[in-house]
Amino acid sequence: MAGKTQFGSRIGLIAATVGSAVGLGNVWRFPAEAQSNGGAAFLLIYIACVALLGIPVMLAEFSLGRGTGKDAVGSFVSLAPRKKWWVAGAVATLASYLILSFYLVVAGWTLEYFWQSITGELYAGVGTEGMETNFRHQMDHLITGSWEPLLSSYVIIAINIFVLMKGVQKGIEKMSNILMPALFLLLVFFCIASLTLPQASEGLKYFFHPDFSKITAETVINALGQAFFSLSLGMGILITYSAYYPKKTNLINTAVTVSVLDLSVAILMGMIIFPAVMSFGLNDESLEGATLVFVTLPEVFASMPFTRFWSALFFLLLLVAALTSTISLAEVATAFVCDRFKLSRRKGCWVVMLPLVGLSSLCSLSQGPLSHIRIFSQNIFDFLDTVATNLMLPVAAIFTCLFLGWIVSKKFLYGQLTNKGRVNIKISAAVIAIIKYAAPVLIAVILIAKFLE
Ligand code: PHE
């Protein structure tokens, strides 16, 4: 089935792939990481990680998907039918499913914040207690409460079902064609607004200030981890989406375009957040992931004119970024069950999405009523995050590279990268060398380093 389904246009396939890559990692992880790891110095290392490792690994996944036209498991099977390499695809598919179960919850939080910005409820308590305390209470209520977070993650699940059922062109591609340009417009709009704030230049200095003394081996590890997460590598997403790329798609151009757009969003986010936050007193805590987005930024909005307008617009931006990522995650499992069990798309969607109602409820409740359930001293949400992101994702990426570099015939990878010898002849040799040697070794080193941490 997947072999015949295709994206309708180049813009559409790029919008969909960028939609997966751009997510909460760009918004709340990148700016804080960059700032605390040496600003512009980190940025340079990050760019090197994306260019030297991220793009080649992305190309390995693209080649596998586009070359076989199959889902993340089927693509391994079709190239090595009697071998066990499909396990790598299965690990990636499972990783994306587990990530989806908590990503749906976070997407739900952004929906709650969006809604409460529109109704004004988010700001109703401003003035009755200290600003930070007020928003911390709000965050507790919206994240650890029992029914609001559940309900909003179910709404996200419903949207996923709606889009996925419509299929690749009429669902995923159409949604991305509308939402991604909207997201970029919102970003540029916010950036202009933020840069006209009185303390804008201090904020930019704070973000970009190159501090090479902060660069250590750990910085490099962090930069590479961030690059892989941000580019959605190792989760079967890029294999699945590229199975819908037409044969004529230039894979190297596509990988570079997607990576540059993903990086631009991360940098723009920093240029929005730091000038704004700088103006309203910043400490290291105010930068931490969820706190930055759900406490610090509402404080900033509350101190600005047109509070609800800015706040609603910002959480809309976040919602769009999160939503397109959930769809890409859900498509991995959907393509897999449809292909493997020969289900119609409609049935496949239900099979994939219904268990997520239970899984995401568990993740959501583990923030509040079920927080006493601990697995290796983490709650369910954090445990899934650690296992899927820090363990399964790098393992899948390593085996994907080894598979393409060593098991599949040389002609296959070369043919995909050069479109049968027509383009990118010189670059392809370098990319293949990275896929064969550098990528598996370096990812393994990082995996081990993380474990020893
Ligand atoms: N790439 C996304 C981001 O930067 C994260 C993501 C992870 C997306 C897993 C899909 C799947 O936030």
mmCIF file of all heavy atoms in Angstrom, residues 13-14 17-18 55-69 231 233 237-245 249-259 400 404 412-413 416-417:
data_model
loop_
_atom_site.group_PDB
_atom_site.id
_atom_site.type_symbol
_atom_site.label_atom_id
_atom_site.label_comp_id
_atom_site.label_asym_id
_atom_site.label_seq_id
_atom_site.Cartn_x
_atom_site.Cartn_y
_atom_site.Cartn_z
ATOM 1 N N LEU A 13 6.004 17.669 0.542
ATOM 2 C CA LEU A 13 6.817 16.678 1.257
ATOM 3 C C LEU A 13 7.800 17.354 2.199
ATOM 4 O O LEU A 13 8.100 16.852 3.279
ATOM 5 C CB LEU A 13 7.494 15.686 0.284
ATOM 6 C CG LEU A 13 8.661 16.076 -0.620
ATOM 7 C CD1 LEU A 13 9.972 15.899 0.110
ATOM 8 C CD2 LEU A 13 8.644 15.211 -1.858
ATOM 9 N N ILE A 14 8.259 18.549 1.804
ATOM 10 C CA ILE A 14 9.153 19.273 2.713
ATOM 11 C C ILE A 14 8.365 19.795 3.915
ATOM 12 O O ILE A 14 8.798 19.662 5.061
ATOM 13 C CB ILE A 14 9.872 20.418 1.969
ATOM 14 C CG1 ILE A 14 10.909 19.775 1.044
ATOM 15 C CG2 ILE A 14 10.543 21.380 2.944
ATOM 16 C CD1 ILE A 14 11.778 20.697 0.287
ATOM 17 N N THR A 17 7.784 16.919 6.309
ATOM 18 C CA THR A 17 8.988 16.469 7.020
ATOM 19 C C THR A 17 9.448 17.527 8.029
ATOM 20 O O THR A 17 9.833 17.203 9.151
ATOM 21 C CB THR A 17 10.118 16.147 6.005
ATOM 22 O OG1 THR A 17 9.543 15.365 4.943
ATOM 23 C CG2 THR A 17 11.226 15.354 6.647
ATOM 24 N N VAL A 18 9.388 18.794 7.616
ATOM 25 C CA VAL A 18 9.754 19.854 8.559
ATOM 26 C C VAL A 18 8.745 19.874 9.719
ATOM 27 O O VAL A 18 9.108 20.104 10.875
ATOM 28 C CB VAL A 18 9.788 21.238 7.856
ATOM 29 C CG1 VAL A 18 9.983 22.365 8.853
ATOM 30 C CG2 VAL A 18 10.901 21.267 6.827
ATOM 31 N N ILE A 55 22.593 15.096 9.043
ATOM 32 C CA ILE A 55 22.158 14.989 7.646
ATOM 33 C C ILE A 55 22.484 13.605 7.052
ATOM 34 O O ILE A 55 21.623 12.986 6.434
ATOM 35 C CB ILE A 55 22.722 16.165 6.806
ATOM 36 C CG1 ILE A 55 22.057 17.463 7.275
ATOM 37 C CG2 ILE A 55 22.491 15.943 5.319
ATOM 38 C CD1 ILE A 55 22.492 18.719 6.562
ATOM 39 N N PRO A 56 23.695 13.079 7.268
ATOM 40 C CA PRO A 56 23.944 11.718 6.749
ATOM 41 C C PRO A 56 22.995 10.663 7.326
ATOM 42 O O PRO A 56 22.509 9.800 6.575
ATOM 43 C CB PRO A 56 25.388 11.445 7.180
ATOM 44 C CG PRO A 56 26.021 12.791 7.246
ATOM 45 C CD PRO A 56 24.945 13.710 7.732
ATOM 46 N N VAL A 57 22.712 10.714 8.624
ATOM 47 C CA VAL A 57 21.800 9.712 9.182
ATOM 48 C C VAL A 57 20.393 9.907 8.607
ATOM 49 O O VAL A 57 19.679 8.948 8.290
ATOM 50 C CB VAL A 57 21.780 9.764 10.731
ATOM 51 C CG1 VAL A 57 20.743 8.812 11.288
ATOM 52 C CG2 VAL A 57 23.150 9.422 11.291
ATOM 53 N N MET A 58 20.016 11.170 8.436
ATOM 54 C CA MET A 58 18.727 11.445 7.802
ATOM 55 C C MET A 58 18.698 10.829 6.401
ATOM 56 O O MET A 58 17.706 10.220 5.980
ATOM 57 C CB MET A 58 18.516 12.965 7.719
ATOM 58 C CG MET A 58 17.193 13.376 7.107
ATOM 59 S SD MET A 58 17.000 15.172 7.029
ATOM 60 C CE MET A 58 16.513 15.575 8.661
ATOM 61 N N LEU A 59 19.827 10.955 5.688
ATOM 62 C CA LEU A 59 19.889 10.409 4.327
ATOM 63 C C LEU A 59 19.833 8.883 4.324
ATOM 64 O O LEU A 59 19.286 8.276 3.399
ATOM 65 C CB LEU A 59 21.153 10.900 3.626
ATOM 66 C CG LEU A 59 21.043 12.351 3.165
ATOM 67 C CD1 LEU A 59 22.398 12.915 2.779
ATOM 68 C CD2 LEU A 59 20.064 12.454 1.987
ATOM 69 N N ALA A 60 20.388 8.268 5.366
ATOM 70 C CA ALA A 60 20.291 6.809 5.472
ATOM 71 C C ALA A 60 18.812 6.427 5.570
ATOM 72 O O ALA A 60 18.326 5.521 4.882
ATOM 73 C CB ALA A 60 21.059 6.318 6.695
ATOM 74 N N GLU A 61 18.065 7.150 6.420
ATOM 75 C CA GLU A 61 16.643 6.825 6.579
ATOM 76 C C GLU A 61 15.853 7.115 5.300
ATOM 77 O O GLU A 61 14.994 6.338 4.896
ATOM 78 C CB GLU A 61 16.052 7.595 7.765
ATOM 79 C CG GLU A 61 16.682 7.201 9.091
ATOM 80 C CD GLU A 61 15.801 7.542 10.295
ATOM 81 O OE1 GLU A 61 14.587 7.760 10.135
ATOM 82 O OE2 GLU A 61 16.343 7.597 11.414
ATOM 83 N N PHE A 62 16.164 8.258 4.679
ATOM 84 C CA PHE A 62 15.480 8.605 3.428
ATOM 85 C C PHE A 62 15.708 7.517 2.369
ATOM 86 O O PHE A 62 14.793 7.125 1.655
ATOM 87 C CB PHE A 62 16.029 9.920 2.857
ATOM 88 C CG PHE A 62 15.451 11.177 3.482
ATOM 89 C CD1 PHE A 62 15.942 12.430 3.117
ATOM 90 C CD2 PHE A 62 14.421 11.117 4.411
ATOM 91 C CE1 PHE A 62 15.424 13.592 3.666
ATOM 92 C CE2 PHE A 62 13.898 12.278 4.969
ATOM 93 C CZ PHE A 62 14.412 13.519 4.597
ATOM 94 N N SER A 63 16.960 7.053 2.258
ATOM 95 C CA SER A 63 17.273 6.061 1.225
ATOM 96 C C SER A 63 16.490 4.782 1.461
ATOM 97 O O SER A 63 15.953 4.179 0.525
ATOM 98 C CB SER A 63 18.765 5.725 1.229
ATOM 99 O OG SER A 63 19.509 6.883 1.056
ATOM 100 N N LEU A 64 16.430 4.395 2.726
ATOM 101 C CA LEU A 64 15.730 3.169 3.070
ATOM 102 C C LEU A 64 14.246 3.274 2.725
ATOM 103 O O LEU A 64 13.652 2.368 2.125
ATOM 104 C CB LEU A 64 15.918 2.937 4.579
ATOM 105 C CG LEU A 64 15.638 1.578 5.161
ATOM 106 C CD1 LEU A 64 16.364 0.510 4.377
ATOM 107 C CD2 LEU A 64 16.100 1.541 6.619
ATOM 108 N N GLY A 65 13.649 4.386 3.089
ATOM 109 C CA GLY A 65 12.213 4.560 2.856
ATOM 110 C C GLY A 65 11.898 4.737 1.382
ATOM 111 O O GLY A 65 11.087 4.016 0.805
ATOM 112 N N ARG A 66 12.585 5.680 0.738
ATOM 113 C CA ARG A 66 12.272 5.966 -0.654
ATOM 114 C C ARG A 66 12.646 4.785 -1.554
ATOM 115 O O ARG A 66 11.958 4.445 -2.503
ATOM 116 C CB ARG A 66 12.980 7.253 -1.089
ATOM 117 C CG ARG A 66 12.329 7.942 -2.266
ATOM 118 C CD ARG A 66 12.858 7.555 -3.599
ATOM 119 N NE ARG A 66 14.269 7.782 -3.722
ATOM 120 C CZ ARG A 66 14.794 8.896 -4.242
ATOM 121 N NH1 ARG A 66 14.027 9.857 -4.659
ATOM 122 N NH2 ARG A 66 16.099 9.018 -4.345
ATOM 123 N N GLY A 67 13.767 4.125 -1.198
ATOM 124 C CA GLY A 67 14.231 3.027 -2.033
ATOM 125 C C GLY A 67 13.315 1.813 -1.998
ATOM 126 O O GLY A 67 13.212 1.080 -2.977
ATOM 127 N N THR A 68 12.662 1.594 -0.863
ATOM 128 C CA THR A 68 11.817 0.399 -0.759
ATOM 129 C C THR A 68 10.332 0.739 -0.847
ATOM 130 O O THR A 68 9.514 -0.130 -1.144
ATOM 131 C CB THR A 68 12.035 -0.311 0.594
ATOM 132 O OG1 THR A 68 11.662 0.588 1.638
ATOM 133 C CG2 THR A 68 13.467 -0.741 0.788
ATOM 134 N N GLY A 69 9.956 1.974 -0.514
ATOM 135 C CA GLY A 69 8.540 2.356 -0.503
ATOM 136 C C GLY A 69 7.762 1.684 0.615
ATOM 137 O O GLY A 69 6.543 1.570 0.559
ATOM 138 N N LEU A 231 15.849 16.562 14.764
ATOM 139 C CA LEU A 231 15.624 16.159 13.370
ATOM 140 C C LEU A 231 14.744 14.914 13.271
ATOM 141 O O LEU A 231 14.534 14.380 12.192
ATOM 142 C CB LEU A 231 16.963 15.918 12.664
ATOM 143 C CG LEU A 231 17.859 17.151 12.502
ATOM 144 C CD1 LEU A 231 19.214 16.771 11.922
ATOM 145 C CD2 LEU A 231 17.198 18.210 11.610
ATOM 146 N N LEU A 233 15.330 11.858 14.193
ATOM 147 C CA LEU A 233 16.052 10.696 13.667
ATOM 148 C C LEU A 233 15.836 9.470 14.562
ATOM 149 O O LEU A 233 15.551 9.594 15.738
ATOM 150 C CB LEU A 233 17.557 11.003 13.609
ATOM 151 C CG LEU A 233 17.955 12.164 12.709
ATOM 152 C CD1 LEU A 233 19.450 12.446 12.836
ATOM 153 C CD2 LEU A 233 17.606 11.860 11.269
ATOM 154 N N ILE A 237 10.376 7.724 11.564
ATOM 155 C CA ILE A 237 9.538 8.750 10.926
ATOM 156 C C ILE A 237 10.030 9.063 9.524
ATOM 157 O O ILE A 237 9.263 9.123 8.564
ATOM 158 C CB ILE A 237 9.555 10.049 11.759
ATOM 159 C CG1 ILE A 237 8.872 9.807 13.092
ATOM 160 C CG2 ILE A 237 8.901 11.187 11.008
ATOM 161 C CD1 ILE A 237 8.872 10.992 14.009
ATOM 162 N N LEU A 238 11.345 9.256 9.419
ATOM 163 C CA LEU A 238 11.875 9.677 8.122
ATOM 164 C C LEU A 238 11.831 8.531 7.123
ATOM 165 O O LEU A 238 11.691 8.756 5.924
ATOM 166 C CB LEU A 238 13.288 10.233 8.300
ATOM 167 C CG LEU A 238 13.307 11.424 9.268
ATOM 168 C CD1 LEU A 238 14.720 11.887 9.542
ATOM 169 C CD2 LEU A 238 12.474 12.581 8.731
ATOM 170 N N ILE A 239 11.928 7.286 7.626
ATOM 171 C CA ILE A 239 11.779 6.135 6.713
ATOM 172 C C ILE A 239 10.340 6.137 6.187
ATOM 173 O O ILE A 239 10.084 6.025 4.987
ATOM 174 C CB ILE A 239 12.050 4.807 7.450
ATOM 175 C CG1 ILE A 239 13.459 4.788 8.047
ATOM 176 C CG2 ILE A 239 11.836 3.614 6.503
ATOM 177 C CD1 ILE A 239 13.791 3.538 8.854
ATOM 178 N N THR A 240 9.397 6.282 7.114
ATOM 179 C CA THR A 240 7.992 6.208 6.740
ATOM 180 C C THR A 240 7.601 7.328 5.777
ATOM 181 O O THR A 240 6.965 7.088 4.750
ATOM 182 C CB THR A 240 7.109 6.302 8.002
ATOM 183 O OG1 THR A 240 7.553 5.311 8.925
ATOM 184 C CG2 THR A 240 5.653 6.087 7.681
ATOM 185 N N TYR A 241 7.989 8.570 6.112
ATOM 186 C CA TYR A 241 7.609 9.696 5.246
ATOM 187 C C TYR A 241 8.290 9.593 3.878
ATOM 188 O O TYR A 241 7.693 9.886 2.848
ATOM 189 C CB TYR A 241 7.966 11.033 5.912
ATOM 190 C CG TYR A 241 6.848 11.605 6.766
ATOM 191 C CD1 TYR A 241 5.749 10.828 7.149
ATOM 192 C CD2 TYR A 241 6.875 12.934 7.185
ATOM 193 C CE1 TYR A 241 4.739 11.356 7.933
ATOM 194 C CE2 TYR A 241 5.860 13.468 7.968
ATOM 195 C CZ TYR A 241 4.805 12.679 8.342
ATOM 196 O OH TYR A 241 3.798 13.214 9.115
ATOM 197 N N SER A 242 9.575 9.172 3.866
ATOM 198 C CA SER A 242 10.272 9.167 2.571
ATOM 199 C C SER A 242 9.766 8.045 1.667
ATOM 200 O O SER A 242 10.010 8.069 0.459
ATOM 201 C CB SER A 242 11.782 9.085 2.762
ATOM 202 O OG SER A 242 12.113 7.912 3.465
ATOM 203 N N ALA A 243 9.057 7.069 2.255
ATOM 204 C CA ALA A 243 8.436 6.054 1.399
ATOM 205 C C ALA A 243 7.376 6.709 0.506
ATOM 206 O O ALA A 243 6.994 6.167 -0.528
ATOM 207 C CB ALA A 243 7.801 4.962 2.258
ATOM 208 N N TYR A 244 6.921 7.892 0.906
ATOM 209 C CA TYR A 244 5.922 8.612 0.107
ATOM 210 C C TYR A 244 6.564 9.646 -0.818
ATOM 211 O O TYR A 244 5.883 10.440 -1.446
ATOM 212 C CB TYR A 244 4.903 9.314 1.013
ATOM 213 C CG TYR A 244 4.286 8.414 2.066
ATOM 214 C CD1 TYR A 244 4.131 8.856 3.380
ATOM 215 C CD2 TYR A 244 3.850 7.135 1.750
ATOM 216 C CE1 TYR A 244 3.578 8.035 4.350
ATOM 217 C CE2 TYR A 244 3.306 6.307 2.721
ATOM 218 C CZ TYR A 244 3.173 6.761 4.022
ATOM 219 O OH TYR A 244 2.635 5.946 4.979
ATOM 220 N N TYR A 245 7.922 9.700 -0.845
ATOM 221 C CA TYR A 245 8.607 10.625 -1.754
ATOM 222 C C TYR A 245 8.611 10.014 -3.159
ATOM 223 O O TYR A 245 8.879 8.825 -3.309
ATOM 224 C CB TYR A 245 10.074 10.834 -1.350
ATOM 225 C CG TYR A 245 10.340 11.629 -0.090
ATOM 226 C CD1 TYR A 245 9.312 12.109 0.716
ATOM 227 C CD2 TYR A 245 11.644 11.912 0.296
ATOM 228 C CE1 TYR A 245 9.595 12.831 1.871
ATOM 229 C CE2 TYR A 245 11.928 12.636 1.449
ATOM 230 C CZ TYR A 245 10.895 13.085 2.234
ATOM 231 O OH TYR A 245 11.177 13.789 3.364
ATOM 232 N N THR A 249 12.665 12.719 -6.399
ATOM 233 C CA THR A 249 13.081 13.627 -5.318
ATOM 234 C C THR A 249 14.587 13.548 -5.083
ATOM 235 O O THR A 249 15.141 12.463 -4.943
ATOM 236 C CB THR A 249 12.356 13.243 -4.009
ATOM 237 O OG1 THR A 249 10.963 13.267 -4.254
ATOM 238 C CG2 THR A 249 12.693 14.204 -2.888
ATOM 239 N N ASN A 250 15.216 14.723 -5.034
ATOM 240 C CA ASN A 250 16.648 14.778 -4.741
ATOM 241 C C ASN A 250 16.820 14.710 -3.223
ATOM 242 O O ASN A 250 16.528 15.658 -2.499
ATOM 243 C CB ASN A 250 17.205 16.084 -5.310
ATOM 244 C CG ASN A 250 18.690 16.237 -5.079
ATOM 245 O OD1 ASN A 250 19.238 15.741 -4.095
ATOM 246 N ND2 ASN A 250 19.348 16.923 -5.995
ATOM 247 N N LEU A 251 17.294 13.563 -2.741
ATOM 248 C CA LEU A 251 17.306 13.341 -1.291
ATOM 249 C C LEU A 251 18.266 14.276 -0.554
ATOM 250 O O LEU A 251 17.954 14.775 0.524
ATOM 251 C CB LEU A 251 17.670 11.878 -0.991
ATOM 252 C CG LEU A 251 16.649 10.833 -1.449
ATOM 253 C CD1 LEU A 251 17.082 9.442 -1.008
ATOM 254 C CD2 LEU A 251 15.245 11.118 -0.917
ATOM 255 N N ILE A 252 19.439 14.507 -1.150
ATOM 256 C CA ILE A 252 20.417 15.353 -0.440
ATOM 257 C C ILE A 252 19.889 16.780 -0.307
ATOM 258 O O ILE A 252 19.926 17.371 0.772
ATOM 259 C CB ILE A 252 21.797 15.302 -1.139
ATOM 260 C CG1 ILE A 252 22.340 13.863 -1.007
ATOM 261 C CG2 ILE A 252 22.759 16.309 -0.526
ATOM 262 C CD1 ILE A 252 23.765 13.648 -1.439
ATOM 263 N N ASN A 253 19.332 17.319 -1.405
ATOM 264 C CA ASN A 253 18.718 18.655 -1.311
ATOM 265 C C ASN A 253 17.644 18.701 -0.248
ATOM 266 O O ASN A 253 17.542 19.650 0.522
ATOM 267 C CB ASN A 253 18.022 19.003 -2.634
ATOM 268 C CG ASN A 253 18.975 19.653 -3.583
ATOM 269 O OD1 ASN A 253 20.091 19.936 -3.183
ATOM 270 N ND2 ASN A 253 18.551 19.874 -4.818
ATOM 271 N N THR A 254 16.815 17.659 -0.225
ATOM 272 C CA THR A 254 15.707 17.639 0.726
ATOM 273 C C THR A 254 16.221 17.619 2.160
ATOM 274 O O THR A 254 15.750 18.368 3.019
ATOM 275 C CB THR A 254 14.811 16.411 0.468
ATOM 276 O OG1 THR A 254 14.457 16.397 -0.906
ATOM 277 C CG2 THR A 254 13.563 16.445 1.322
ATOM 278 N N ALA A 255 17.235 16.778 2.413
ATOM 279 C CA ALA A 255 17.757 16.674 3.780
ATOM 280 C C ALA A 255 18.347 18.006 4.230
ATOM 281 O O ALA A 255 18.150 18.437 5.372
ATOM 282 C CB ALA A 255 18.807 15.571 3.856
ATOM 283 N N VAL A 256 19.075 18.673 3.309
ATOM 284 C CA VAL A 256 19.676 19.958 3.678
ATOM 285 C C VAL A 256 18.572 20.990 3.946
ATOM 286 O O VAL A 256 18.596 21.716 4.941
ATOM 287 C CB VAL A 256 20.647 20.451 2.576
ATOM 288 C CG1 VAL A 256 21.122 21.861 2.864
ATOM 289 C CG2 VAL A 256 21.833 19.498 2.458
ATOM 290 N N THR A 257 17.567 21.022 3.081
ATOM 291 C CA THR A 257 16.486 22.002 3.260
ATOM 292 C C THR A 257 15.771 21.782 4.599
ATOM 293 O O THR A 257 15.536 22.733 5.359
ATOM 294 C CB THR A 257 15.443 21.859 2.123
ATOM 295 O OG1 THR A 257 16.126 21.858 0.891
ATOM 296 C CG2 THR A 257 14.427 22.979 2.154
ATOM 297 N N VAL A 258 15.439 20.530 4.881
ATOM 298 C CA VAL A 258 14.723 20.243 6.129
ATOM 299 C C VAL A 258 15.570 20.648 7.331
ATOM 300 O O VAL A 258 15.088 21.300 8.271
ATOM 301 C CB VAL A 258 14.367 18.734 6.210
ATOM 302 C CG1 VAL A 258 13.878 18.355 7.598
ATOM 303 C CG2 VAL A 258 13.319 18.377 5.160
ATOM 304 N N SER A 259 16.863 20.325 7.291
ATOM 305 C CA SER A 259 17.722 20.630 8.435
ATOM 306 C C SER A 259 17.892 22.132 8.615
ATOM 307 O O SER A 259 17.899 22.632 9.747
ATOM 308 C CB SER A 259 19.099 19.992 8.264
ATOM 309 O OG SER A 259 18.937 18.617 8.047
ATOM 310 N N THR A 400 20.397 1.245 11.744
ATOM 311 C CA THR A 400 20.003 1.694 10.404
ATOM 312 C C THR A 400 21.253 2.006 9.579
ATOM 313 O O THR A 400 21.363 1.622 8.407
ATOM 314 C CB THR A 400 19.102 2.948 10.498
ATOM 315 O OG1 THR A 400 18.010 2.649 11.349
ATOM 316 C CG2 THR A 400 18.593 3.371 9.143
ATOM 317 N N LEU A 404 22.572 -0.086 6.212
ATOM 318 C CA LEU A 404 22.768 0.494 4.881
ATOM 319 C C LEU A 404 24.223 0.504 4.459
ATOM 320 O O LEU A 404 24.550 0.362 3.292
ATOM 321 C CB LEU A 404 22.204 1.912 4.843
ATOM 322 C CG LEU A 404 20.696 1.898 4.690
ATOM 323 C CD1 LEU A 404 20.106 3.236 5.037
ATOM 324 C CD2 LEU A 404 20.323 1.517 3.265
ATOM 325 N N PHE A 412 22.728 0.203 -3.820
ATOM 326 C CA PHE A 412 21.425 0.675 -3.347
ATOM 327 C C PHE A 412 21.521 2.093 -2.788
ATOM 328 O O PHE A 412 20.839 3.017 -3.236
ATOM 329 C CB PHE A 412 20.865 -0.279 -2.284
ATOM 330 C CG PHE A 412 19.568 0.204 -1.689
ATOM 331 C CD1 PHE A 412 18.368 -0.012 -2.345
ATOM 332 C CD2 PHE A 412 19.551 0.920 -0.494
ATOM 333 C CE1 PHE A 412 17.182 0.453 -1.808
ATOM 334 C CE2 PHE A 412 18.364 1.388 0.043
ATOM 335 C CZ PHE A 412 17.182 1.146 -0.611
ATOM 336 N N LEU A 413 22.413 2.269 -1.796
ATOM 337 C CA LEU A 413 22.552 3.572 -1.149
ATOM 338 C C LEU A 413 23.035 4.618 -2.155
ATOM 339 O O LEU A 413 22.507 5.732 -2.224
ATOM 340 C CB LEU A 413 23.532 3.438 0.023
ATOM 341 C CG LEU A 413 23.718 4.641 0.927
ATOM 342 C CD1 LEU A 413 22.389 5.131 1.479
ATOM 343 C CD2 LEU A 413 24.639 4.288 2.102
ATOM 344 N N GLN A 416 20.288 5.675 -4.486
ATOM 345 C CA GLN A 416 19.305 6.570 -3.870
ATOM 346 C C GLN A 416 19.852 7.983 -3.738
ATOM 347 O O GLN A 416 19.157 8.956 -4.018
ATOM 348 C CB GLN A 416 18.895 6.032 -2.479
ATOM 349 C CG GLN A 416 18.022 4.799 -2.518
ATOM 350 C CD GLN A 416 16.768 5.017 -3.345
ATOM 351 O OE1 GLN A 416 16.135 6.055 -3.270
ATOM 352 N NE2 GLN A 416 16.429 4.039 -4.161
ATOM 353 N N LEU A 417 21.098 8.080 -3.280
ATOM 354 C CA LEU A 417 21.670 9.408 -3.036
ATOM 355 C C LEU A 417 21.915 10.166 -4.331
ATOM 356 O O LEU A 417 21.835 11.391 -4.371
ATOM 357 C CB LEU A 417 22.986 9.285 -2.260
ATOM 358 C CG LEU A 417 22.865 8.722 -0.836
ATOM 359 C CD1 LEU A 417 24.237 8.567 -0.205
ATOM 360 C CD2 LEU A 417 21.997 9.631 0.027
#
